[in-house]
Amino acid sequence: MLDVRRLRLLRELARRGTIAAVAEALSFSPSAVSQQLGVLEREAGLPLLERTGRRVRLTAAGQNLVRHAEAVLERLEQADADLAEARGGLAGALRIGAFPTATRAIVPAALVALARRHPGLEPMVCETDPAAVAHALRAGDLDVALVHSYDFVPAEREPGLTTEPLYGEAMYLAEPAGGTPEAPGAPGAPGAAGTPGPEAGRPPAGDLPQPPPGPDQDAVLRAHARSPWITATPGTLCHTMTTRACQAAGFTPRVRHQVDEFATVLALVAAGQGVAVVPQLGVAGPADPAVRLTRLVMQRRTGLAFRSGAGTHPAVAAFGAALRAAVPPDLAGSRAEA
């Protein structure tokens, strides 16, 4: 009989590529992982792994077993959900991953509703970059998480996980109202340095400017091909989004500052330090006359991710319902897939 815990190790190896990475993710020693995988091979009765330098590659039999492992682990999640439903009453910890703008703008209201309806449940929020969510969910470090994707950084299908769409956000180019010194400043073009317009300031999320009827997104971004840029740190989806959007417009952004928190990004824009692409929730708040916003065509889409089979777990379902009720009305209308 194959051991489920060893099947989980094999699945993680298929995702991560090295025994060291599996050991680090699951808090095992590399020798312990190797030993357990060796036992799994003996249980299977044929080789599941072959070494290629420092990495380990799964044989055809190993890859096939991983597919079975995905199905087995999903059924176990469903069984756990059924047992939780049978017990009645939600209690215990619910580990939630969320990125900063959602943590600030949406999660608190959801937690208030959750506490009112299920006082025995203990939600525990951990800020987690969406790029790290898949591993954290599969490793059991999180039970549910908010993830996002962009038009230029679509979400990849993650084996063993399910994602349900929540909402979509508009994206904006944020630039200093007085213009950036390095920008070429195409006269009269929306977003050009020194060109006033209705986008000035930073209004609340529900009153943000609509897409400009003039030049397309590429033209708006190209107006700042020589401007300094403020992006998120490398390795994040936000950083990749800005880089790819600019490259699609015909240039690579010259990055001056790397900041993950959008309030800080906008403070740097107001100080004339560069331009940035920011999402709708990142610009919600009191207007800043030193920042001009121009609506772009691209969007950011947010979804709720959990282990496949766990969607019917009462705690996961309750948090999802509370989260949907907390989405601001101006976001709820966009339900594109995350």
Side-chain angles (χ1 to χ4, degrees):
M1 180 68 67
L2 299 176
D3 187 280
V4 172
R5 293 169 298 179
R6 297 183 186 116
L7 289 175
R8 193 185 299 275
L9 290 176
L10 186 68
R11 182 189 68 171
E12 286 304 308
L13 182 61
R15 303 279 78 80
R16 299 175 188 269
T18 68
I19 288 176
V22 173
E24 181 179 1
L26 301 182
S27 300
F28 292 152
S29 68
S31 61
V33 174
S34 294
Q35 182 183 29
Q36 291 301 308
L37 290 174
V39 173
L40 181 61
E41 283 190 304
R42 290 194 292 274
E43 291 175 343
L46 74 170
L48 302 175
L49 312 173
E50 55 186 15
R51 293 189 176 275
T52 56
R54 294 185 177 180
R55 300 183 68 85
V56 178
R57 187 171 60 189
L58 272 65
T59 64
Q63 294 171 356
N64 188 49
L65 187 54
V66 166
R67 287 191 287 271
H68 286 295
E70 296 285 5
V72 168
L73 293 169
E74 181 173 346
R75 289 302 298 269
L76 286 175
E77 290 289 344
Q78 292 171 348
D80 185 54
D82 289 346
L83 290 172
E85 181 70 28
R87 286 192 294 268
L90 297 183
L94 178 67
R95 296 158 298 180
I96 302 165
F99 52 91
T101 49
T103 302
R104 182 187 71 247
I106 297 174
V107 172
L111 296 181
V112 169
L114 201 62
R116 185 168 54 247
R117 295 169 189 155
H118 307 286
L121 195 62
E122 184 183 4
M124 305 168 66
V125 177
C126 176
E127 281 197 355
T128 308
D129 187 90
V133 159
H135 289 329
L137 284 171
R138 281 196 293 259
D141 297 329
L142 296 174
D143 299 310
V144 64
L146 283 86
V147 295
H148 62 233
S149 64
Y150 296 93
D151 288 344
F152 287 97
V153 194
E156 297 181 1
R157 183 186 178 278
E158 289 286 353
L161 302 184
T162 298
T163 302
E164 296 179 349
L166 287 174
Y167 60 86
E169 292 173 75
M171 299 293 294
Y172 295 86
L173 175 76
E175 62 179 316
T180 52
E182 291 85 352
T195 303
E199 297 86 0
R202 182 155 58 97
D207 299 322
L208 287 167
Q210 295 305 302
D216 60 17
Q217 175 172 292
D218 288 352
V220 171
L221 296 177
R222 272 198 304 270
H224 293 281
R226 290 171 50 195
S227 298
W229 280 77
I230 305 165
T231 70
T233 53
T236 61
L237 299 183
C238 297
H239 178 274
T240 304
M241 171 272 301
T242 298
T243 301
R244 290 182 180 177
C246 291
Q247 289 173 341
F251 69 98
T252 298
R254 183 166 61 85
V255 178
R256 175 179 288 178
H257 303 294
Q258 295 177 346
V259 177
D260 288 325
E261 211 281 318
F262 288 116
T264 305
V265 169
L266 292 171
L268 291 171
V269 171
Q273 290 296 300
V275 300
V277 175
V278 293
Q280 185 171 345
L281 288 180
V283 300
D288 186 343
V291 177
R292 179 189 294 112
L293 300 173
T294 301
R295 174 91 175 253
L296 302 174
V297 177
M298 61 190 294
Q299 280 196 334
R300 179 168 81 168
R301 298 171 179 84
T302 293
L304 188 66
F306 43 83
R307 289 182 292 277
S308 296
T312 57
H313 192 289
V316 173
F319 177 67
L323 200 61
R324 288 181 176 84
V327 173
D330 58 311
L331 297 179
S334 181
R335 297 286 185 182
E337 288 288 341

